[in-house]
Amino acid sequence: MKLKREFYMQDTEIVARELIGKVLVHKLEETFIKGRIVETEAYLGLWDKAAHSYGGRRTERTRTMFAQGGIAYVYFIYGMYYCFNVVTREEEVPEAVLIRGIEPLEDSLEQMSLLRYKKTWKELTALQRKNLSNGPGKMAMAFGLDKSCNALDLLGEELYIEEGEVEGRILTSRRIGIDYAEEARDWALRFYLEGSCGVSPVKKRGF
Protein backbone atom coordinates (compact mmCIF):
# COMPACT_ATOMS: atom_id res chain seq x y z
CA MET A 1 0.00 0.00 0.00
CA LYS A 2 1.37 3.41 -1.02
CA LEU A 3 1.94 5.86 1.83
CA LYS A 4 -0.66 8.61 2.04
CA ARG A 5 -0.08 12.36 2.29
CA GLU A 6 -0.89 12.30 5.99
CA PHE A 7 2.19 10.22 6.71
CA TYR A 8 4.52 12.89 5.34
CA MET A 9 2.74 15.73 7.16
CA GLN A 10 3.85 14.40 10.55
CA ASP A 11 6.72 15.68 12.68
CA THR A 12 9.93 15.22 10.68
CA GLU A 13 11.66 13.09 13.32
CA ILE A 14 8.66 10.76 13.37
CA VAL A 15 8.72 10.46 9.59
CA ALA A 16 12.46 9.73 9.61
CA ARG A 17 12.05 6.93 12.14
CA GLU A 18 8.89 5.47 10.60
CA LEU A 19 10.41 5.39 7.10
CA ILE A 20 12.71 2.62 8.32
CA GLY A 21 11.34 -0.61 6.86
CA LYS A 22 9.22 1.12 4.23
CA VAL A 23 9.81 0.27 0.54
CA LEU A 24 11.00 2.85 -1.97
CA VAL A 25 9.73 2.28 -5.53
CA HIS A 26 11.00 3.92 -8.73
CA LYS A 27 9.38 3.07 -12.06
CA LEU A 28 11.87 3.30 -14.93
CA GLU A 29 10.10 2.64 -18.21
CA GLU A 30 8.43 -0.73 -17.53
CA THR A 31 10.74 -1.76 -14.67
CA PHE A 32 9.98 -1.27 -10.98
CA ILE A 33 13.06 -0.86 -8.79
CA LYS A 34 12.35 -1.58 -5.12
CA GLY A 35 14.32 -1.51 -1.90
CA ARG A 36 13.72 -1.37 1.84
CA ILE A 37 14.74 1.86 3.57
CA VAL A 38 17.25 1.11 6.34
CA GLU A 39 18.88 4.46 7.11
CA THR A 40 17.53 8.02 7.27
CA GLU A 41 18.40 11.46 8.64
CA ALA A 42 15.98 14.20 9.67
CA TYR A 43 16.66 17.84 8.77
CA LEU A 44 14.63 20.37 10.73
CA GLY A 45 14.61 23.41 8.51
CA LEU A 46 14.60 26.92 9.91
CA TRP A 47 16.44 26.22 13.16
CA ASP A 48 18.68 23.35 12.02
CA LYS A 49 22.13 24.61 10.96
CA ALA A 50 22.69 21.38 9.01
CA ALA A 51 19.62 21.96 6.82
CA HIS A 52 19.81 23.64 3.42
CA SER A 53 16.84 25.77 4.45
CA TYR A 54 18.32 26.96 7.77
CA GLY A 55 17.14 30.45 8.65
CA GLY A 56 14.56 30.39 5.85
CA ARG A 57 17.15 30.20 3.05
CA ARG A 58 15.17 29.92 -0.17
CA THR A 59 17.17 29.35 -3.35
CA GLU A 60 16.64 27.62 -6.67
CA ARG A 61 17.90 24.44 -5.02
CA THR A 62 16.02 24.68 -1.72
CA ARG A 63 12.63 25.88 -2.91
CA THR A 64 11.38 22.29 -3.12
CA MET A 65 11.83 22.00 0.66
CA PHE A 66 9.09 24.62 1.10
CA ALA A 67 6.50 22.39 -0.59
CA GLN A 68 3.95 20.28 1.27
CA GLY A 69 4.96 16.93 2.71
CA GLY A 70 5.24 14.02 0.29
CA ILE A 71 7.35 15.72 -2.39
CA ALA A 72 10.78 14.47 -3.51
CA TYR A 73 13.74 16.78 -2.92
CA VAL A 74 16.73 15.71 -5.03
CA TYR A 75 19.95 17.71 -5.13
CA PHE A 76 23.49 17.37 -6.49
CA ILE A 77 26.47 17.28 -4.09
CA TYR A 78 30.26 17.37 -4.41
CA GLY A 79 29.81 17.63 -8.17
CA MET A 80 29.38 13.85 -8.23
CA TYR A 81 26.29 12.53 -6.45
CA TYR A 82 22.55 13.00 -6.23
CA CYS A 83 20.81 12.71 -2.88
CA PHE A 84 17.14 11.83 -2.44
CA ASN A 85 15.06 13.40 0.33
CA VAL A 86 11.42 13.25 1.35
CA VAL A 87 9.84 16.64 2.13
CA THR A 88 7.79 16.67 5.34
CA ARG A 89 5.33 18.86 7.22
CA GLU A 90 3.02 21.51 5.81
CA GLU A 91 3.80 23.95 3.00
CA GLU A 92 6.32 26.68 3.90
CA VAL A 93 7.84 24.57 6.71
CA PRO A 94 11.07 23.54 4.92
CA GLU A 95 11.95 20.23 6.54
CA ALA A 96 12.95 16.92 4.96
CA VAL A 97 14.30 13.42 5.52
CA LEU A 98 17.42 12.25 3.70
CA ILE A 99 17.32 8.60 2.62
CA ARG A 100 20.83 7.34 3.38
CA GLY A 101 20.59 3.59 2.88
CA ILE A 102 18.48 1.00 1.06
CA GLU A 103 18.44 -2.79 1.13
CA PRO A 104 17.50 -3.90 -2.41
CA LEU A 105 14.68 -6.36 -2.84
CA GLU A 106 15.74 -9.48 -4.70
CA ASP A 107 13.76 -8.76 -7.86
CA SER A 108 15.60 -5.43 -8.23
CA LEU A 109 19.19 -6.62 -7.79
CA GLU A 110 19.91 -6.96 -11.49
CA GLN A 111 18.61 -3.55 -12.50
CA MET A 112 20.26 -1.82 -9.54
CA SER A 113 23.60 -3.47 -10.37
CA LEU A 114 23.42 -2.26 -13.96
CA LEU A 115 22.55 1.28 -12.92
CA ARG A 116 25.20 1.48 -10.20
CA TYR A 117 28.12 -0.42 -11.77
CA LYS A 118 27.07 -1.21 -15.35
CA LYS A 119 27.57 -4.88 -14.44
CA THR A 120 25.23 -7.77 -13.75
CA TRP A 121 24.69 -8.93 -10.16
CA LYS A 122 26.75 -12.06 -10.78
CA GLU A 123 29.70 -9.96 -11.99
CA LEU A 124 29.90 -7.91 -8.79
CA THR A 125 32.50 -8.54 -6.13
CA ALA A 126 31.47 -9.08 -2.51
CA LEU A 127 32.51 -5.50 -1.71
CA GLN A 128 30.52 -4.08 -4.63
CA ARG A 129 27.44 -5.99 -3.48
CA LYS A 130 27.81 -4.63 0.05
CA ASN A 131 28.22 -1.10 -1.31
CA LEU A 132 25.37 -1.28 -3.80
CA SER A 133 23.07 1.13 -1.97
CA ASN A 134 24.42 1.77 1.54
CA GLY A 135 24.90 5.52 1.20
CA PRO A 136 22.79 8.41 -0.18
CA GLY A 137 24.77 8.83 -3.41
CA LYS A 138 25.06 5.07 -3.91
CA MET A 139 21.35 4.41 -3.49
CA ALA A 140 20.45 7.31 -5.79
CA MET A 141 22.62 5.80 -8.55
CA ALA A 142 21.27 2.30 -7.95
CA PHE A 143 17.69 3.61 -8.19
CA GLY A 144 18.29 5.83 -11.22
CA LEU A 145 17.42 8.97 -9.26
CA ASP A 146 18.63 12.31 -10.60
CA LYS A 147 17.58 15.96 -10.89
CA SER A 148 14.62 14.97 -13.08
CA CYS A 149 13.08 13.41 -9.96
CA ASN A 150 13.22 16.66 -7.99
CA ALA A 151 9.76 17.93 -6.95
CA LEU A 152 7.98 14.71 -7.98
CA ASP A 153 4.90 13.97 -5.91
CA LEU A 154 5.46 10.76 -3.94
CA LEU A 155 1.77 9.98 -4.29
CA GLY A 156 2.22 9.61 -8.04
CA GLU A 157 3.05 6.56 -10.16
CA GLU A 158 6.73 7.19 -10.99
CA LEU A 159 8.35 7.46 -7.56
CA TYR A 160 6.68 6.52 -4.29
CA ILE A 161 7.02 4.70 -0.97
CA GLU A 162 5.03 1.67 0.13
CA GLU A 163 4.27 0.18 3.51
CA GLY A 164 6.81 -2.32 4.81
CA GLU A 165 7.98 -4.16 7.89
CA VAL A 166 10.80 -3.54 10.34
CA GLU A 167 12.79 -6.65 11.19
CA GLY A 168 15.21 -5.66 13.95
CA ARG A 169 15.99 -2.72 16.21
CA ILE A 170 15.94 0.87 15.03
CA LEU A 171 18.95 2.73 16.43
CA THR A 172 19.79 6.43 16.52
CA SER A 173 23.00 8.45 16.31
CA ARG A 174 24.37 11.81 15.27
CA ARG A 175 24.08 12.66 11.60
CA ILE A 176 27.02 12.12 9.26
CA GLY A 177 29.30 14.66 7.57
CA ILE A 178 27.89 17.84 9.16
CA ASP A 179 30.69 18.97 11.46
CA TYR A 180 30.12 22.55 10.23
CA ALA A 181 26.66 22.65 11.85
CA GLU A 182 27.81 23.75 15.34
CA GLU A 183 25.42 22.47 18.03
CA ALA A 184 23.19 20.78 15.42
CA ARG A 185 25.95 18.29 14.60
CA ASP A 186 25.29 16.55 17.92
CA TRP A 187 21.55 16.07 17.49
CA ALA A 188 20.52 12.41 17.34
CA LEU A 189 18.55 12.63 14.09
CA ARG A 190 19.98 9.65 12.22
CA PHE A 191 17.93 6.45 12.30
CA TYR A 192 19.09 3.07 11.04
CA LEU A 193 18.21 -0.60 11.20
CA GLU A 194 20.78 -2.46 13.26
CA GLY A 195 23.06 -4.69 11.20
CA SER A 196 21.55 -3.85 7.82
CA CYS A 197 23.12 -3.09 4.44
CA GLY A 198 26.62 -2.58 5.84
CA VAL A 199 25.33 0.28 7.98
CA SER A 200 27.17 0.94 11.22
CA PRO A 201 27.04 3.77 13.78
CA VAL A 202 30.64 4.75 13.06
CA LYS A 203 30.36 4.84 9.27
CA LYS A 204 31.68 8.11 7.83
CA ARG A 205 30.47 9.89 4.69
CA GLY A 206 29.36 6.73 2.93
CA PHE A 207 28.38 8.43 -0.33
Side-chain angles (χ1 to χ4, degrees), residues 24-26 33-39 74 81-86 97-104 112 115-117 131-146 159 161 197 206-207:
L24 178 65
V25 182
H26 187 202
I33 303 174
K34 296 187 177 186
R36 196 174 309 281
I37 298 170
V38 296
E39 184 181 5
V74 180
Y81 305 106
Y82 288 100
C83 291
F84 167 66
N85 301 254
V86 173
V97 175
L98 171 66
I99 307 301
R100 283 200 58 93
I102 291 280
E103 279 190 345
M112 290 175 70
L115 287 166
R116 172 95 163 88
Y117 295 110
N131 288 327
L132 182 63
S133 53
N134 64 336
K138 298 173 189 178
M139 65 80 45
M141 283 189 281
F143 265 77
L145 302 175
D146 57 25
L159 182 64
I161 300 174
C197 201
F207 282 92

Side-chain angles (χ1 to χ4, degrees), residues 65-152:
M65 290 187 72
F66 290 81
Q68 65 178 332
I71 302 297
Y73 171 43
V74 180
Y75 61 87
F76 200 49
I77 191 169
Y78 303 140
M80 298 176 64
Y81 305 106
Y82 288 100
C83 291
F84 167 66
N85 301 254
V86 173
V87 176
T88 58
R89 306 272 313 265
E90 58 269 27
E91 193 172 354
E92 297 300 319
V93 179
E95 301 187 6
V97 175
L98 171 66
I99 307 301
R100 283 200 58 93
I102 291 280
E103 279 190 345
L105 297 188
E106 187 172 355
D107 289 348
S108 297
L109 286 173
E110 196 67 29
Q111 185 65 21
M112 290 175 70
S113 300
L114 292 170
L115 287 166
R116 172 95 163 88
Y117 295 110
K118 296 181 172 58
K119 297 179 179 179
T120 66
W121 175 252
K122 289 183 177 180
E123 292 176 308
L124 301 187
T125 66
L127 182 60
Q128 287 175 324
R129 291 182 179 189
K130 179 179 179 180
N131 288 327
L132 182 63
S133 53
N134 64 336
K138 298 173 189 178
M139 65 80 45
M141 283 189 281
F143 265 77
L145 302 175
D146 57 25
K147 198 62 179 288
S148 68
C149 300
N150 185 51
L152 286 179

Side-chain angles (χ1 to χ4, degrees), residues 26-33 111:
H26 187 202
K27 183 181 180 183
L28 281 177
E29 298 178 350
E30 298 304 313
T31 301
F32 288 89
I33 303 174
Q111 185 65 21

